[in-house]
């Protein structure tokens, strides 16, 4: 980085003459340094998948010049300053979250440093072969070519990061800090090598670092950038394993919901079959009672039949038969535990929202609500209220329940599964706690065409 290596770019110029180096210091330090950081800022915004307007580039260039002027070159402070500058730009200009901004800022700055570290020994290897040419011309040519090659190499590396390693993950951002310590360690080693080998200003062509093995330094720099990409590759594999484990958890949840649904359907079918089998006998009994003028007994018999029919009906009517069974079962369990239940949920049926996905949301939410109510004191008021409605292309659901109101909320697998379903439909999930009241709100966007849900299934 031009601003991070004051005195380095003029090394070849000092070999050709002190005067030329003095004249080119400003160009190397400020102009080329600003260009390199602007180049890095461009790829930084691309990695974050953001578009930046031109006037923000101008503002960023002014900030870069200020950093170059006030922060001592060749120190870790320069690395920190440019990382902080890119991070602030990512947060306030690119509107990215701060975790991604910090990690990708450090990554871009380190890539630029490593690319310069690769070019430096290359130029040092080639320089002795140009002894027959004018020193001033060769010094300028080497400085400019070194800048261009390092920029080109930086662009290639950042392009690889943008295409293969950047993404839109939000849940896994806490894992991204696993990258920060290895990146910082590579930077410190690279900075030490550059400071120990290339930071000195050579004023005489006869005193060039003859005892430095530049090929060895080149290999070390290449290993540094290779290590960086190996770290990125390992991080990507970690995210893939995280996704696989989350998908496995979702499949297990779906399997559990399906098994529960099948059992409920079987029980409901057997009860309905038995009631239908006996309906003729019930009608005959009522007819005989009425014929014998035993109207009170007939009314009592009819009331008993109404109770039996009530048991066969779904306690929760949502307009979706699958959800009726699930919600009825869960709320029935809650009611038997002495929990006051209420359901005013109305769902579209049929629609492009998969029944199993709605069941995953309600199953996890109601399980959490029942568990929270069960932990409350015996004399406390326990309730679970389920509500929801359709508004345009949006389905809004809310599950409100009482809870102990003590301790911290622990976001376990249940809420994680609910959030996964909401993200699948490009919706949102929010949790609100008001004293001893827990409110879970879920917003789903209903796909207008059935093929959209098929794509989601794929």
């Amino acid at each position: 980085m031009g601003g991070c290596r004051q005195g380095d770019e003029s090394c070849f110029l000092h070999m050709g003459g002190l005067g030329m180096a003095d004249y080119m210091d400003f160009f190397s330090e400020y102009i080329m340094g600003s260009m390199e950081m602007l180049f890095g800022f461009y790829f930084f915004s691309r990695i974050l998948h953001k578009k930046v307007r031109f006037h923000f580039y101008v503002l960023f260039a002014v900030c870069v010049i200020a950093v170059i002027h006030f922060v001592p070159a060749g120190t870790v402070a320069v690395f920190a300053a440019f990382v902080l500058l890119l991070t602030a730009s990512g947060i306030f200009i690119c509107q990215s979250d701060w975790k991604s901004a910090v990690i990708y800022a450090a990554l871009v700055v380190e890539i630029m440093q490593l690319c310069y570290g690769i070019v430096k020994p290359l130029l040092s290897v080639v320089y002795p072969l140009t002894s027959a040419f004018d020193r001033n011309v060769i010094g300028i040519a080497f400085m400019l070519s070194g800048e261009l090659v390092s920029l080109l190499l930086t662009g290639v590396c950042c392009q690889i990061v943008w295409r293969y390693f950047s993404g839109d993950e939000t849940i896994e951002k806490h894992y991204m800090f696993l990258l920060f310590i290895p990146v910082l360690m590579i930077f410190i080693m690279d900075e030490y090598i550059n400071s120990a080998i290339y930071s000195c200003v050579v004023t005489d062509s006869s005193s060039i670092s003859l005892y430095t093995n530049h090929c060895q330094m080149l290999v070390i720099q290449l290993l540094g950038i290779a290590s960086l990409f190996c770290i990125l590759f390992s991080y990507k594999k970690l995210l893939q394993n995280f996704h696989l484990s989350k998908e496995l958890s979702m499949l297990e949840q779906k399997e559990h919901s399906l098994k529960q649904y099948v059992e409920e359907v079987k029980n409901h079918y057997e009860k309905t079959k038995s009631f239908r089998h006996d309906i003729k006998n019930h009608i005959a009994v009522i007819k005989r009672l009425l014929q014998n003028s035993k109207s009170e007994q007939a009314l009592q018999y009819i009331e008993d039949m109404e109770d039996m029919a009530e048991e066969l009906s779904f306690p929760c009517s949502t307009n979706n038969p699958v959800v009726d069974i699930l919600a009825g079962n869960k709320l029935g369990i809650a009611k038997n535990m002495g929990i006051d239940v209420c359901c005013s949920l109305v769902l579209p049926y049929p629609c492009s929202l998969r029944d199993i996905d709605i069941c995953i949301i309600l199953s996890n939410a109601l399980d959490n609500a029942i568990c929270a109510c069960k932990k409350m004191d015996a004399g406390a008021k326990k309730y679970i209220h389920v509500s929801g409605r359709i508004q345009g292309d949006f389905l809004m659901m809310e599950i409100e329940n009482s809870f102990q109101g003590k301790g911290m909320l622990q976001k376990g697998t249940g809420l994680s599964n609910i959030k996964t379903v909401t993200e699948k439909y490009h919706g949102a999930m929010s949790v609100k706690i008001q004293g001893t009241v827990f409110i879970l709100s879920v917003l789903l966007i209903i796909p207008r065409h059935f093929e959209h849900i098929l794509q989601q299934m794929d």
Side-chain angles (χ1 to χ4, degrees), residues 323 345 347-348 351-362 388-399 417-430 441-448 453 456:
V323 178
L345 176 63
L347 297 173
C351 75
S352 50
L353 294 174
R354 297 182 66 198
D355 295 336
I356 189 65
D357 291 328
I358 300 176
C359 288
I360 287 175
I361 294 175
L362 291 176
R389 67 185 187 276
I390 302 293
Q391 186 170 345
D393 291 334
F394 300 94
L395 170 60
M396 293 174 285
M397 292 186 289
E398 186 174 275
I399 296 89
N417 289 342
I418 294 174
K419 188 175 182 180
T420 301
V421 175
T422 59
E423 291 175 350
K424 174 181 177 180
Y425 291 96
H426 308 287
M429 181 194 79
S430 66
S441 300
V442 176
L443 174 67
L444 302 179
I445 299 178
I446 303 174
R448 293 186 177 183
I453 196 65
Q456 294 173 351

Side-chain angles (χ1 to χ4, degrees), residues 97-101 103-104 165-180 232 234-247 250 416 419-420 423:
D97 65 283
W98 68 273
K99 292 181 181 179
S100 297
I103 295 301
Y104 286 126
F165 297 104
S166 65
D168 297 324
E169 301 92 352
T170 55
I171 301 176
E172 307 86 350
K173 290 294 172 61
H174 52 281
Y175 287 116
M176 295 183 66
F177 277 97
L178 294 175
L179 293 172
F180 190 77
L232 290 174
S234 301
Y235 169 69
K236 186 175 181 180
K237 288 296 182 182
L238 175 66
L239 292 186
Q240 289 177 350
N241 291 334
F242 179 83
H243 284 299
L244 289 175
S245 62
K246 189 167 68 172
E247 289 177 3
M250 286 293 297
S416 176
K419 188 175 182 180
T420 301
E423 291 175 350

Side-chain angles (χ1 to χ4, degrees), residues 274-288 301 305 308:
S274 177
F275 183 80
R276 291 179 60 186
H277 180 269
D278 296 334
I279 192 68
K280 292 182 179 180
N281 296 329
H282 295 315
I283 294 175
V285 172
I286 295 173
K287 184 178 179 180
R288 182 63 60 86
Y301 198 91
M305 287 185 62
M308 295 176 61

Side-chain angles (χ1 to χ4, degrees), residues 103-381:
I103 295 301
Y104 286 126
L107 193 60
V108 169
V109 174
E110 178 57 25
I111 286 175
M112 296 174 67
Q113 181 75 4
L114 286 171
C115 290
Y116 172 76
I118 292 173
V119 173
K120 189 67 179 180
L122 280 175
L123 296 179
S124 299
V125 170
V126 177
Y127 183 79
L129 304 178
T130 62
S131 57
F133 300 94
D134 182 80
R135 297 291 88 192
N136 292 333
V137 176
I138 290 299
I140 296 174
F142 268 62
M143 185 195 72
L144 294 177
S145 61
E147 293 287 352
L148 292 175
V149 174
S150 63
L151 285 178
L152 180 62
L153 189 57
T154 299
V156 172
C157 294
C158 289
Q159 185 76 7
I160 294 173
V161 173
W162 170 73
R163 177 164 294 186
Y164 297 105
F165 297 104
S166 65
D168 297 324
E169 301 92 352
T170 55
I171 301 176
E172 307 86 350
K173 290 294 172 61
H174 52 281
Y175 287 116
M176 295 183 66
F177 277 97
L178 294 175
L179 293 172
F180 190 77
I181 294 179
V183 169
L184 183 61
M185 183 188 68
I186 293 175
F187 165 77
I188 292 174
M189 295 300 297
D190 183 67
E191 186 65 27
Y192 172 78
I193 293 172
N194 285 331
S195 300
I197 305 299
Y198 296 114
S199 62
C200 62
V201 178
V202 182
T203 58
D204 187 359
S205 60
S206 62
S207 60
I208 189 172
S209 302
L210 297 175
Y211 300 103
T212 301
N213 190 334
H214 299 293
C215 293
Q216 188 179 44
M217 294 300 103
L218 176 61
V219 172
I220 292 175
Q221 297 288 347
L222 290 173
L223 288 175
I225 201 164
S227 301
L228 192 63
F229 281 106
C230 287
I231 293 170
L232 290 174
F233 178 79
S234 301
Y235 169 69
K236 186 175 181 180
K237 288 296 182 182
L238 175 66
L239 292 186
Q240 289 177 350
N241 291 334
F242 179 83
H243 284 299
L244 289 175
S245 62
K246 189 167 68 172
E247 289 177 3
L248 180 61
S249 175
M250 286 293 297
L251 290 174
E252 291 175 350
Q253 178 72 25
K254 289 181 178 181
E255 182 184 10
H256 173 73
S257 299
L258 286 173
K259 287 182 178 178
Q260 190 176 42
Y261 167 70
V262 170
E263 290 299 322
E264 288 294 323
V265 170
K266 286 182 178 179
N267 293 334
H268 192 269
Y269 175 76
E270 291 298 329
K271 291 180 180 179
T272 304
K273 182 180 178 182
S274 177
F275 183 80
R276 291 179 60 186
H277 180 269
D278 296 334
I279 192 68
K280 292 182 179 180
N281 296 329
H282 295 315
I283 294 175
V285 172
I286 295 173
K287 184 178 179 180
R288 182 63 60 86
L289 290 172
L290 291 175
Q291 288 175 348
N292 294 332
S293 300
K294 297 180 180 179
S295 56
E296 292 183 1
Q297 295 181 2
L299 288 175
Q300 183 62 44
Y301 198 91
I302 292 174
E303 290 178 1
D304 294 338
M305 287 185 62
E306 287 179 346
D307 293 337
M308 295 176 61
E310 186 67 24
E311 292 180 0
L312 295 177
S313 64
F314 298 114
C316 183
S317 180
T318 66
N319 195 41
N320 185 312
V322 178
V323 178
D324 286 347
I325 293 176
L326 175 74
N329 177 57
K330 297 291 183 181
L331 295 178
I333 294 174
K335 193 172 182 179
N336 292 333
M337 296 172 59
I339 302 173
D340 182 27
V341 298
C342 176
C343 181
S344 59
L345 176 63
V346 178
L347 297 173
Y349 189 82
C351 75
S352 50
L353 294 174
R354 297 182 66 198
D355 295 336
I356 189 65
D357 291 328
I358 300 176
C359 288
I360 287 175
I361 294 175
L362 291 176
S363 177
N364 285 281
L366 292 175
D367 283 343
N368 291 342
I370 293 173
C371 182
C373 291
K374 188 163 52 175
K375 293 180 180 179
M376 296 179 67
D377 297 334
K381 181 181 179 181

